[in-house]
């Protein structure tokens, strides 16, 4: 892919580009906990967005998206969102200049193999890759964490999704064969090896695009904030659901709106599950980790209300599939993929079983991706 991107850039823009690869992410456990200042356990993967870039002599950013065969330009000084995917680039260009030096025009070519709308964070990868590319090209000196925050601000204010920091963080900080336990309150993180010998991470795509996710996502966030506001009256030190214990929550259940109570209960439990999950991972306790994945899914579906019938079906049938250790929905929800931990030697029969069952039920063949944990955003050169 890199060689053909370099070639097309050269043909289109007549210069050699800098090429940056920005991975998508998986998350083993800890869903919707990031914007509640809790923990997440993501890793960067071997599906990527590529950003090829070179300075031009204008004050315009000219972008060609190969996947959509679409070309769009905007001035580097643009402050307002436009329509569609170009907003990610407008936003990053804008925020990079808010704290750094102004930049001049660039030519950009984008391509990639992260399935769009599948919950593998193609938009976060785009922001991370493009931000990293500008940072390199203009010597701007932003840290990877600062670039992650710029991607998150872009998502908030140019795409309208009040997301947490997990996806941008994961794309920028990934490490081969490792996941990262990120504390979204202190922003400290540690690498933990994904060390279940003979097992692989396998994603099964519902093929339902999670386009509704944006509005419902923001509703969940508001419901969590409502819970925090209620509990703060009794415990002024509480800043987020991360600071809330199960005892504090249950003591006040009668004062809660039932839906908000369910949302908060899920988050408080999921944080605990993640901590237990990290212990299971460190102790190579695969059955224990698998149980936590199923419990996480149940919470996301029944209490947090972000699953859908297709995701529930995939998790249900995975429980009886060959070689399975654990499964749950992954990411924001309302479609996208389930994440499964599957015995390597059973992967072929797992895939057949999942695809045939799902097709019988929903008349669609789900795509399946066997994932490799990889390094975060970096420069790539063809032939290396
Ligand atoms: C989306 C968001 C993340 C996170 C997940 C759910 O991927 O971008 O910040 O909240 O959903 O865990």
């Amino acid at each position: 892919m890199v060689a053909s991107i370099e070639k097309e850039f050269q043909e289109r823009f007549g210069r050699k580009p800098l090429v940056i690869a920005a991975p998508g992410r998986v998350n083993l456990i800890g869903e919707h906990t990031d914007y509640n200042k809790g923990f997440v356990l993501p890793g960067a993967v071997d599906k990527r967005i590529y950003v090829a870039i070179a300075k031009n002599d204008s004050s315009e950013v000219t972008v060609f998206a190969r996947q959509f065969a679409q070309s769009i330009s905007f001035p580097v000084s643009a402050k307002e969102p436009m329509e569609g995917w170009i907003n990610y680039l407008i936003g990053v260009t804008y925020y990079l200049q808010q704290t750094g030096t102004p930049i001049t025009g660039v030519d950009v070519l984008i391509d990639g193999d992260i399935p769009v709308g599948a919950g593998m964070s193609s938009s976060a990868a785009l922001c991370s890759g493009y931000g990293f590319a500008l940072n390199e090209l203009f010597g701007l000196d932003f840290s990877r964490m600062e670039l992650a925050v710029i991607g998150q601000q872009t998502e908030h204010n140019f795409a309208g999704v009040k997301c947490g920091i997990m996806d941008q963080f994961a794309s920028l900080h990934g490490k081969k064969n490792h996941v990262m336990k990120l504390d979204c309150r202190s922003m400290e993180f540690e690498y933990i090896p994904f060390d279940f010998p003979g097992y692989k991470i396998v994603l099964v795509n519902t093929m339902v695009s999670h386009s509704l996710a944006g509005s419902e996502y923001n509703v969940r966030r508001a419901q969590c904030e409502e819970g925090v506001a209620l509990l703060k009256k009794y415990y002024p030190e509480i800043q987020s659901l991360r600071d809330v214990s199960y005892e504090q929550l249950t003591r006040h259940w009668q004062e809660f709106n039932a839906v908000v109570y369910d949302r908060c209960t899920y988050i408080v439990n999921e944080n605990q599950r993640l901590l237990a999950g990290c212990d299971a991972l460190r102790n190579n306790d695969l059955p224990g980790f698998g149980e936590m994945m199923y419990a996480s899914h149940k919470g996301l579906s029944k209490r947090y209300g972000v699953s859908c019938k297709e995701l529930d079906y995939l998790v249900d049938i995975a429980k009886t599939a060959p070689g399975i250790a654990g499964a749950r929905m992954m990411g924001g929800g309302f479609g996208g993929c389930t994440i499964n931990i599957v015995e390597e030697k059973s992967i072929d029969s797992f895939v057949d079983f999942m695809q045939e069952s799902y097709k019988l039920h929903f008349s669609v063949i789900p795509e399946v991706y066997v994932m490799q944990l990889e390094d975060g955003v970096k420069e790539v050169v063809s032939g290396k």
Side-chain angles (χ1 to χ4, degrees), residues 24 43 63 71 85 89 91 131-132 179 182 202 218 244 253 288 293-295 308 317 350 360 368 378 382:
V63 191
S71 189
W85 57 267
L89 290 100
F132 188 92
V179 288
L182 171 68
V202 181
N218 293 348
V244 174
W253 72 271
M293 290 178 80
Y294 292 127
C308 60
I317 59 163
F350 173 83
L360 274 177
V368 177
K378 61 180 178 194
S382 61

Side-chain angles (χ1 to χ4, degrees), residues 57-342:
D57 293 329
S58 75
S59 53
E60 293 273 305
V61 178
T62 299
V63 191
F64 179 69
R66 265 225 295 201
Q67 279 168 302
F68 309 126
Q70 204 182 8
S71 189
I72 305 183
S73 295
F74 62 90
V76 286
S77 58
K79 294 182 175 59
E80 299 299 328
M82 288 162 63
E83 279 289 301
W85 57 267
I86 195 71
N87 278 330
Y88 296 112
L89 290 100
I90 301 178
V92 170
T93 310
Y94 172 77
Y95 284 114
L96 269 177
Q97 296 180 93
Q98 293 312 295
T99 42
T101 342
I103 59 170
T104 54
V106 283
D107 294 328
V108 184
L109 186 147
I110 296 165
D111 203 356
D113 57 5
I114 306 179
V116 175
M120 290 162 75
S121 299
S122 52
S123 60
L126 176 56
C127 290
S128 303
Y130 177 64
F132 188 92
L134 289 179
N135 200 38
E136 291 292 297
L137 206 60
F138 292 95
L140 299 177
D141 225 19
F142 286 97
S143 69
R144 284 178 182 257
M145 202 61 98
E146 286 167 334
L147 292 174
V149 172
I150 284 175
Q152 185 192 25
Q153 287 173 320
T154 297
E155 194 81 55
H156 283 201
N157 300 320
F158 282 77
V161 180
K162 303 288 176 197
C163 66
I165 192 74
M166 169 169 74
D167 305 348
Q168 298 79 5
F169 163 82
S171 183
L172 281 150
H173 294 84
K175 179 170 164 183
K176 195 172 177 55
N177 296 331
H178 288 71
V179 288
M180 295 158 281
K181 177 187 170 199
L182 171 68
D183 179 336
C184 301
R185 184 168 67 188
S186 67
M187 294 309 288
E188 282 167 6
F189 66 98
E190 62 176 299
Y191 290 106
I192 305 180
F194 178 78
D195 196 13
F196 291 137
Y199 280 79
K200 288 260 181 201
I201 297 170
V202 181
L203 305 188
V204 183
N205 191 345
T206 58
M207 311 306 280
V208 177
S209 169
H210 64 162
S211 56
L212 256 184
S215 53
E216 284 297 322
Y217 188 97
N218 293 348
V219 170
R220 294 300 172 283
R221 197 172 175 144
Q223 288 165 333
C224 293
E225 282 162 12
E226 197 180 321
V228 170
L230 193 155
L231 290 168
K232 225 178 157 60
K233 288 191 278 180
Y234 301 97
Y235 314 101
E237 69 282 5
I238 287 174
Q239 300 294 327
S240 67
L241 287 178
R242 160 70 179 283
D243 307 324
V244 174
S245 70
Y246 192 65
E247 290 65 38
Q248 288 171 328
L249 186 63
T250 47
R251 198 174 302 149
H252 297 280
W253 72 271
Q254 284 178 312
E255 298 156 62
F256 273 84
N257 159 300
V259 172
V260 172
Y261 185 73
D262 268 348
R263 306 298 191 235
C264 295
T265 307
Y266 161 75
I267 296 292
V268 171
N269 288 340
E270 181 76 350
N271 263 322
Q272 291 309 316
R273 258 193 301 269
L274 184 138
L275 295 175
C278 288
D279 289 341
L281 193 53
R282 285 195 194 93
N283 299 326
N284 304 103
D285 173 11
L286 185 55
F289 195 86
E291 281 314 309
M292 276 167 247
M293 290 178 80
Y294 292 127
S296 168
H297 183 80
K298 194 170 166 204
L300 285 159
S301 177
K302 304 280 180 268
R303 286 196 181 265
Y304 212 60
V306 292
S307 187
C308 60
K309 61 181 190 307
E310 292 86 354
L311 286 166
D312 286 347
Y313 179 81
L314 282 177
V315 172
D316 271 353
I317 59 163
K319 287 178 185 156
T320 63
I324 189 79
R328 59 179 203 83
M329 58 152 274
M330 187 184 75
F334 305 101
C337 293
T338 59
I339 176 167
N340 305 264
I341 299 187
V342 184

